[in-house]
Amino acid sequence: MTSVFDLFKIGIGPSSSHTVGPMVAARRFRDALPDGTAQVTAELFGSLAWTGKGHGSDQAICLGLMGARPETLDSDEVPVLVARLAIQKFIEVNGTRIAFDAERDLVFDFDTLLPLHSNGMRFRAFAEGGARLDERVFYSIGGGFVVEEGEPREAAPQATAYPFATAAEMLSACARTGLSVAELQMANECALRPRAEVEAGLDAIIAAMFAAIDRGLSREGALPGRLRVKRRAKAIRDQLEADRLANHRPPHEVMDWVSVFAMAVNEENAAGGRIVTAPTNGAAGIVPAVLRYVRDICPETTHDQLREFLLAAAAVGGLIKRNASISGAEVGCQGEVGSAASMAAAGLAAVLGASPEQIENAAEIAMEHHLGMTCDPIGGLVQIPCIERNAFGANKAIAAASLALRGNGIHHVSLDQVIETMRQTGADMQSKYKETSQGGLAVNVPEC
């Protein structure tokens, strides 16, 4: 199965596939450097080359080679570390200085596409005289997941209490055992680690999500990058608070709050701040926004229900990752925002007392109405249309859960069918619409 802790990973922005993944790959390469290494090089291919500058892939490679890990890296230290490497032009491994000059040794190859995935990387290690000691190829396949060439895309199956590979199998297991979707996922998590550890991990994810919202709601100014996009979340929050004090509260106010929660997270992500991959960084605002809606707006929500939300969301996210993709570079934004909305809809439906069939229906509705969504970030930055797109994805998730709860779980299109449709649509989609900034808004809207 795909664990809740695989889908929800604490890290930094702006991209799980273009920032977190390259950092993880570079760190893996560093940790296995052969004795006698005097110089290392790195090459980025496909989408990593086309949009790597805007996504911070170059900085991520540098940080990973320096030994940084996304889950523990202080985002405020990034500029200092990168600047230090630019001056020193070496990394230090076990007390040995190894040459790495990013201007010379980090290459963006815009012409070559490696076979497994658009997000390909190649690292090489050389001896003092220039002889090649090692060469390793990695792929960042979305959501911070990294596989090395020759490794399977999915990890070897682990012994779980109630394995399921499709939504149909998930519903069958719920019917057979009497467990809810969240309880099914929890039982599988507890087959891998003690329950107390699972609960502590869920609490850390919840805290990190809410902290990202709070930071985003408190900060102003322009986001990094040549677009100079202005942060809006704080200003919108201030307007909503002023309206509340003036007793001017239109019926759609709740939608504005959900939108601003999502935008706050994705503004933090765009600024390279600490967020939770959910299931990607580009879609990181949707699950936290709906989770905050559950805590702040839905009545009498308990902390256990927040955990239940994440578990149900993870059950659906694991199915999408296994049977289609969560990578914008592979299937477009339907795999990022669409997946996140589907997960959030499942989580919300679970908290509101939905049956397993209604949860599956909620997830299906949310995904169905993101089919075909392209990934076309202007300037290769995770800002336009990404930030607003998270606001819409969060509101769609709530609408999907509400519609499902108004029904009895019986519907024509299954979650398995819509996931397969998403996979096929992504395979048919032209590469210029898959996180390359070579089509769509990226070429029709001037960057200045």
Side-chain angles (χ1 to χ4, degrees), residues 151-174:
E151 290 180 346
R153 283 194 55 158
E154 296 292 337
Q158 303 178 75
T160 55
Y162 306 104
F164 56 88
T166 66
E169 291 178 3
M170 178 183 75
L171 293 178
S172 176
C174 288

Side-chain angles (χ1 to χ4, degrees), residues 328-354:
E330 192 169 31
V331 295
C333 199
Q334 59 175 354
E336 297 202 28
V337 165
S339 296
S342 185
M343 293 165 63
L348 176 58
V351 168
L352 296 180

Side-chain angles (χ1 to χ4, degrees), residues 59-117:
Q59 291 190 2
I61 293 289
C62 293
L63 292 165
L65 290 175
M66 295 173 75
R69 300 179 186 274
E71 65 270 23
T72 57
L73 177 65
D74 183 346
S75 58
D76 292 334
E77 293 181 359
V78 170
V80 176
L81 294 171
V82 173
R84 182 188 305 162
L85 178 61
I87 295 170
Q88 295 177 337
K89 302 185 189 307
F90 68 80
I91 61 173
E92 192 166 339
V93 182
N94 298 325
T96 300
R97 291 184 175 182
I98 298 173
F100 180 74
D101 179 354
E103 290 189 6
R104 177 195 65 199
D105 298 324
L106 178 55
V107 176
F108 287 76
D109 187 330
F110 300 100
D111 300 318
T112 306
L113 191 64
L114 299 186
L116 180 62
H117 194 283

Side-chain angles (χ1 to χ4, degrees), residues 179-224:
L179 298 175
S180 69
V181 171
E183 289 169 339
L184 203 69
Q185 184 73 18
M186 175 60 93
N188 287 339
E189 297 289 347
C190 291
L192 306 178
R193 52 184 65 85
R195 186 182 182 92
E197 185 177 330
V198 175
E199 292 178 346
L202 292 172
D203 291 347
I205 292 167
I206 293 167
M209 285 181 171
F210 290 161
I213 292 175
D214 291 336
R215 285 195 308 273
L217 291 175
S218 67
R219 298 187 178 184
E220 298 176 291
L223 295 169

